[in-house]
Amino acid sequence: MFEKILKQLNFFIGIIALGILFGFVFQAAQVEIRDLDLWLHWGLGKYITQTGMIPHVDMLSWTMTGKSWIDHEWLFQVVIYNIQNLWGWNGLLVMQGLVVLAILGLLFFMANDRNKQIIVILLLYIVATIMEQRFTVRPDLFSLLFFSLYIFVLALHLDKKWAMPFLVFIQIIWVNVHGFFFFGPLFVLIGILSEFIKRKVKLPWEWNSIGRLNDSEYKNLKIMFGLMVLACFVNPYFWRGAGYPVDVFISTLTGANKVFFAYIQELKKPLIWRDLFSLEHEGSYKLMILFSGISFIFNRRKVDISALFLWLLFLGFSLGAVRNLPFFAVAAYLVFITNIYELKAADIVPVTFKKPIFIPITEIAVKLLLMVSIFNAFNQDIFTGYYDFDTNKRKSEYGDVSLREYPSHAVDFLVENKIKGKFFNDFNSGAYLIGRAWPNIKVFIDGRTEFYGKDFFENYIKVWQKGEKDAIKKYVEDAGATGAFLNSARQNIPKETLRNFYNSPNWKVIYFDWDAVIFLRDIEENKALIKQFGIDLAKWQPKEEDIYKLRTERVRPFRNQNRADMLLNLKLYGPAMAEAKEAMKVSPGFYEAHYTIGRIYFEEKKFKEAFPYLRFAAAVEPSDDAAQYDFAECYYNLKMYDLALKQYNDIKASWPKDLVARYWIAKVLAKQEKYEEAFKEISAFHKSKPKEVLKVLEVGDIAFEQKNIEQAKKIYDLVKNAETDKAEVKARFEKLKSGK
């Protein structure tokens, strides 16, 4: 009797755990709107809804106006615009939460086995944590839903009459929502190929018989594949829309899209060698690879090769970019469930209990631990938030639109003053400008990477990332830009880019704040606006926050700090100092403000004044390598070489792969006339960074200045045959000959 009660209790605790998981996942999906591309989708949804026209050529940018373009996400755009129009931004978050719950619900019903409840809860928990990073209102979330629907129908309901028309309907919706629609026919094709192999090829163990279809099912699968392919043509662009994924795939294979993967965060690879065995980086993803991979070993005699093909395909797909991880999570979940379907706990867990009663007791304990883990994983941000300086209230991390992630004040300025033009902008601002300021503002670039192409993106990098003067002239000024929008809300404006726009007589600042700097080109059509809004940053006065209203709130004075950093990069030391001091009024212990003041004194070569501020920054934030280097260099410039050496050795120990510390150690040792040790350090540096010729020459110069010609030559000889900076190398050897 007691054992029966325990089994019932075990089951109901599992139901409670599932309820907690689903509840917290829904709550996590309500995280405030932070996505960049959403604004482009919302703006296009508004345009399509109001005009009834789906664009076939670009009309959003001034750099690609009139170029043929496939808006393969138009249906998603219409849906989100109308939901937002009816129920506000929170309506979109509720929609997102419901889609996420639908995905998890489908996965749950795929494996609704009372005897494997604990495994299902654990796997769903892992899938949810992988999905959490993609809790953004984007079309790929719907692709994940359709992906799950396909797996659900093909795995469990292929023999039903409604399966084929239902999936054809889903495919028609999918092809108009997101570019991953090709997964639909691909799933069916995997099933056809797997069945063909099972029938024609001798496979090991029982693989030929596992998951076999009868002739009728096999025939229906072939018909379904044909219908799926035809469904892909049901879009406003017909064959061009259907072929869009093929074009992207070819571009990826040929390396044409490689540049995007290098610069765009969501396209970066999820695994890196140095963190391969650490669960701190993509831990849930690694566990899913491990568990699903091992499941093939336990089920090696009864592997369904369609599951194996699916697993291999989506493992490769996920290894290509972090945005693809949720798709592997869903595929791996199905694979794991398929592989353990006929296995018992004893086949997997090498532990036996003398009394059966201990099995439900153990499972209850594990489920309770899972509940605690779920609570900790998804509840950590619910009671946190951040301070909104505009309303002097705290803003929750959940609900509505983020107040920090977008350059909202800067775009308000453009909209309220009805400013129009062709604007250069950073990649992250393009979609937001389209959503809020189009058609008055035409953008330089936005998130449609495949549309702009590799060559254009590389030219953009020359302007934004590198700040090259020639690139700014060629691709911005000569191309006809009338304004420039440099976003600093969620990123630092590259130093050279900001300086070159500011120092150019062709550009004038009309807006400067924590979230952006806006320039207008000094041309006739902008004269009135420049006269009205022009700002002389050399005379900039800091914006004071109302510290009386702050009371005892612990806040990050990011607005003052952002302005201070930009002013420092422009070498406007007085205004930068004033903003940093305002930041310290708001938060006296704010290390970034101390660091900025230290940097100002440092650049003014006032090293004694810089020292206490840099020391504070380095002590408070030991993980900030820039602060550590500047603090060490302060010792160096104060000629406190023993202390500088200790600091650089600490840096070397903390960041062993950062060989710049060895260059500085070599400089310090050379100053101390410890040439053999200096040579050893600079040799190691040069071996790993052979193009850093000038740094090697600097160490040799110290020996030369100390009249130690022999040691100087020994160091110069390291770069005697260098391929770079040949003129500098030649000059050093001429100095050796002359002795001057």
Side-chain angles (χ1 to χ4, degrees):
M1 180 70 179
F2 182 61
E3 185 178 342
K4 185 177 180 181
I5 293 173
L6 273 179
K7 286 182 178 179
Q8 289 294 328
L9 180 63
N10 179 28
F11 174 73
F12 284 115
I13 287 177
I15 295 297
I16 293 171
L18 279 168
I20 290 173
L21 175 61
F22 276 58
F24 275 118
V25 167
F26 182 81
Q27 173 63 33
Q30 305 305 299
V31 67
E32 64 181 8
I33 290 172
R34 301 168 181 168
D35 187 67
L36 296 166
D37 288 343
L38 171 65
W39 296 91
L40 182 147
H41 294 309
W42 182 86
L44 282 167
K46 179 180 179 181
Y47 171 82
I48 296 168
T49 299
Q50 293 179 349
T51 66
M53 295 186 294
I54 298 170
H56 283 66
V57 296
D58 179 53
M59 57 187 184
L60 306 176
S61 75
W62 59 273
T63 49
M64 296 288 171
T65 300
K67 180 182 175 181
S68 179
W69 171 52
I70 298 172
D71 184 10
H72 57 278
E73 297 161 338
W74 71 271
L75 185 56
F76 167 79
Q77 294 159 355
V78 170
V79 169
I80 64 160
Y81 168 72
N82 283 281
I83 289 176
Q84 191 278 330
N85 198 37
L86 288 171
W87 295 295
W89 297 109
N90 282 333
L92 290 179
L93 294 177
V94 171
M95 176 204 75
Q96 175 175 254
L98 293 174
V99 171
V100 170
L101 289 186
I103 294 167
L104 291 182
L106 287 168
L107 298 183
F108 171 73
F109 285 113
M110 271 189 258
N112 188 16
D113 185 340
R114 186 168 182 157
N115 295 322
K116 295 184 175 67
Q117 189 186 56
I118 192 168
I119 294 175
V120 172
I121 297 170
L122 176 61
L123 286 178
L124 286 176
Y125 174 34
I126 296 173
V127 170
T129 57
I130 295 172
M131 286 175 59
E132 187 182 12
Q133 64 178 288
R134 300 300 294 172
F135 283 174
T136 56
V137 184
R138 298 185 67 167
D140 48 348
L141 186 63
F142 280 88
S143 271
L144 194 61
L145 173 62
F146 300 145
F147 182 95
S148 304
L149 272 170
Y150 256 86
I151 289 178
F152 180 76
V153 173
L154 292 175
L156 301 180
H157 302 287
L158 181 60
D159 57 335
K160 306 294 195 301
K161 290 183 178 180
W162 56 265
M164 190 179 301
F166 176 75
L167 289 182
V168 169
F169 173 74
I170 292 298
Q171 188 62 37
I172 292 172
I173 300 295
W174 200 350
V175 75
N176 292 286
V177 166
H178 191 231
F180 284 176
F181 65 84
F182 68 93
F183 285 151
L186 183 61
F187 289 152
V188 180
L189 183 60
I190 288 173
I192 293 170
L193 291 175
S194 299
E195 184 64 23
F196 178 82
I197 292 171
K198 290 173 188 176
R199 294 180 178 218
K200 301 294 183 180
V201 180
K202 176 63 178 174
L203 300 173
W205 292 304
E206 301 175 43
W207 291 18
N208 287 92
S209 61
I210 299 298
R212 279 289 293 270
L213 304 177
N214 59 43
D215 290 343
S216 176
E217 290 172 332
Y218 189 30
K219 180 181 178 181
N220 286 341
L221 205 60
K222 293 176 182 177
I223 295 171
M224 185 183 291
F225 176 71
L227 292 175
M228 294 301 163
V229 172
L230 290 175
C232 293
F233 289 85
V234 184
N235 69 82
Y237 308 95
F238 193 49
W239 65 268
R240 290 174 57 239
Y244 169 79
V246 177
D247 294 337
V248 174
F249 181 69
I250 291 172
S251 297
T252 303
L253 282 182
T254 58
N257 291 339
K258 188 176 180 180
V259 63
F260 306 133
F261 287 80
Y263 286 97
I264 299 174
Q265 189 61 40
E266 68 175 23
L267 298 180
K268 292 185 180 298
K269 295 184 184 299
L271 300 183
I272 50 180
W273 280 110
R274 68 172 179 269
D275 293 328
L276 190 60
F277 300 104
S278 169
L279 292 181
E280 292 182 6
H281 179 75
E282 303 293 357
S284 296
Y285 172 57
K286 292 171 184 175
L287 286 175
M288 207 61 176
I289 294 174
L290 180 66
F291 292 161
S292 57
I294 288 176
S295 72
F296 283 110
I297 298 174
F298 284 112
N299 192 45
R300 59 191 175 277
R301 294 185 177 277
K302 297 183 178 183
V303 169
D304 186 336
I305 61 169
S306 61
L308 178 60
F309 290 157
L310 186 73
W311 187 80
L312 291 171
L313 176 67
F314 282 95
L315 175 60
F317 182 64
S318 65
L319 289 171
V322 293
R323 74 174 181 182
N324 301 333
L325 300 191
F327 293 91
F328 172 75
V330 171
Y333 175 92
L334 172 69
V335 164
F336 190 93
I337 294 301
T338 301
N339 282 332
I340 68 163
Y341 184 75
E342 295 184 8
L343 296 179
K344 298 178 182 178
D347 298 323
I348 303 172
V349 182
V351 177
T352 56
F353 296 94
K354 292 183 178 179
K355 295 184 179 180
I357 196 172
F358 288 118
I359 296 175
I361 291 174
T362 303
E363 288 192 0
I364 289 171
V366 173
K367 288 172 184 176
L368 290 173
L369 287 173
L370 274 174
M371 286 190 216
V372 174
S373 180
I374 291 166
F375 184 86
N376 290 334
F378 290 103
N379 198 39
Q380 56 189 349
D381 294 326
I382 288 179
F383 302 110
T384 61
Y386 53 86
Y387 192 81
D388 176 19
F389 287 96
D390 291 326
T391 62
N392 292 300
K393 296 178 181 177
R394 293 199 75 81
K395 161 78 170 70
S396 169
E397 298 273 2
Y398 293 86
D400 295 315
V401 178
S402 173
L403 302 176
R404 288 192 178 185
E405 297 295 315
Y406 304 110
S408 54
H409 292 69
V411 176
D412 287 344
F413 172 82
L414 291 174
V415 173
E416 290 167 6
N417 293 292
K418 298 180 173 61
I419 294 173
K420 301 180 180 181
K422 302 174 180 179
F423 271 64
F424 170 79
N425 59 278
D426 57 284
F427 180 82
N428 287 336
S429 299
Y432 189 67
L433 284 167
I434 289 169
R436 293 212 44 215
W438 183 84
N440 283 346
I441 301 297
K442 294 287 187 75
V443 300
F444 183 88
I445 193 171
D446 54 74
R448 298 171 294 165
T449 50
E450 296 92 353
F451 171 68
Y452 286 96
K454 168 181 173 289
D455 293 340
F456 184 90
F457 192 83
E458 287 177 341
N459 292 334
Y460 157 77
I461 292 297
K462 290 177 184 177
V463 177
W464 172 252
Q465 204 74 30
K466 300 177 181 179
E468 296 177 7
K469 287 183 179 180
D470 291 343
I472 293 173
K473 184 177 188 311
K474 181 177 180 180
Y475 302 117
V476 180
E477 294 177 3
D478 293 350
T482 61
F485 187 96
L486 310 185
N487 173 9
S488 58
R490 60 192 296 167
Q491 64 196 358
N492 294 321
I493 301 172
K495 188 184 298 185
E496 289 303 312
T497 305
L498 181 60
R499 284 181 182 174
N500 285 333
F501 272 101
Y502 179 74
N503 292 327
S504 170
N506 299 327
W507 297 91
K508 303 298 179 184
V509 179
I510 62 163
Y511 176 92
F512 176 80
D513 211 332
W514 67 272
D515 59 339
V517 184
I518 301 176
F519 294 88
L520 285 183
R521 196 168 168 199
D522 194 3
I523 52 179
E524 188 59 38
E525 64 187 87
N526 289 333
K527 292 290 185 185
L529 289 169
I530 291 172
K531 184 177 181 180
Q532 183 179 0
F533 299 112
I535 299 171
D536 183 357
L537 291 181
K539 298 178 181 178
W540 178 261
Q541 295 298 313
K543 294 186 177 182
E544 298 182 9
E545 303 291 357
D546 191 341
I547 60 174
Y548 296 102
K549 290 183 179 178
L550 284 173
R551 298 189 298 135
T552 57
E553 287 276 3
R554 298 185 66 180
V555 299
R556 182 179 181 275
F558 67 93
R559 305 207 296 189
N560 292 109
Q561 187 59 44
N562 279 18
R563 291 191 291 264
D565 287 341
M566 288 188 282
L567 291 165
L568 172 58
N569 287 338
L570 292 173
K571 298 186 180 297
L572 299 174
Y573 298 131
M577 179 75 78
E579 284 284 6
K581 287 184 176 179
E582 284 300 323
M584 289 176 65
K585 284 183 185 178
V586 174
S587 181
F590 187 54
Y591 101 92
E592 290 179 46
H594 285 264
Y595 182 46
T596 297
I597 293 173
R599 282 296 313 169
I600 292 168
Y601 283 130
F602 188 94
E603 291 189 16
E604 292 179 325
K605 300 191 184 304
K606 298 176 181 178
F607 300 115
K608 284 188 177 180
E609 290 86 346
F611 184 84
Y613 293 99
L614 294 178
R615 176 179 176 271
F616 181 93
V620 170
E621 197 57 52
S623 63
D624 187 337
D625 57 341
Q628 303 302 322
Y629 269 111
D630 287 340
F631 180 50
E633 194 174 348
C634 206
Y635 274 128
Y636 179 85
N637 286 305
L638 289 170
K639 299 183 179 180
M640 299 179 179
Y641 298 126
D642 287 340
L643 294 170
L645 189 60
K646 288 181 180 179
Q647 184 65 19
Y648 283 124
N649 276 318
D650 287 347
I651 293 171
K652 181 181 173 181
S654 298
W655 293 278
K657 293 184 179 180
D658 182 5
L659 297 175
V660 175
R662 305 198 77 162
Y663 150 72
W664 277 104
I665 290 170
K667 285 186 72 172
V668 174
L669 291 169
K671 285 287 187 181
Q672 294 177 316
E673 299 186 23
K674 298 177 181 178
Y675 299 119
E676 291 301 322
E677 295 176 58
F679 182 79
K680 179 181 177 182
E681 293 292 334
I682 200 62
S683 295
F685 172 80
H686 175 62
K687 185 177 180 180
S688 297
K689 293 183 175 288
K691 293 183 179 180
E692 295 281 1
V693 173
L694 295 180
K695 284 183 168 58
V696 177
L697 295 178
E698 285 178 27
V699 178
D701 291 344
I702 295 172
F704 185 83
E705 289 164 5
Q706 293 169 340
K707 309 299 182 185
N708 198 319
I709 306 301
E710 181 183 347
Q711 292 296 335
K713 182 179 184 305
K714 184 178 179 181
I715 295 170
Y716 290 152
D717 280 341
L718 288 172
V719 293
K720 187 175 183 178
N721 299 314
E723 294 297 321
T724 57
D725 299 300
K726 292 182 179 181
E728 292 291 335
V729 174
K730 182 179 178 182
R732 293 312 194 280
F733 281 97
E734 289 176 352
K735 280 172 59 176
L736 287 175
K737 288 180 182 179
S738 65
K740 296 180 182 179

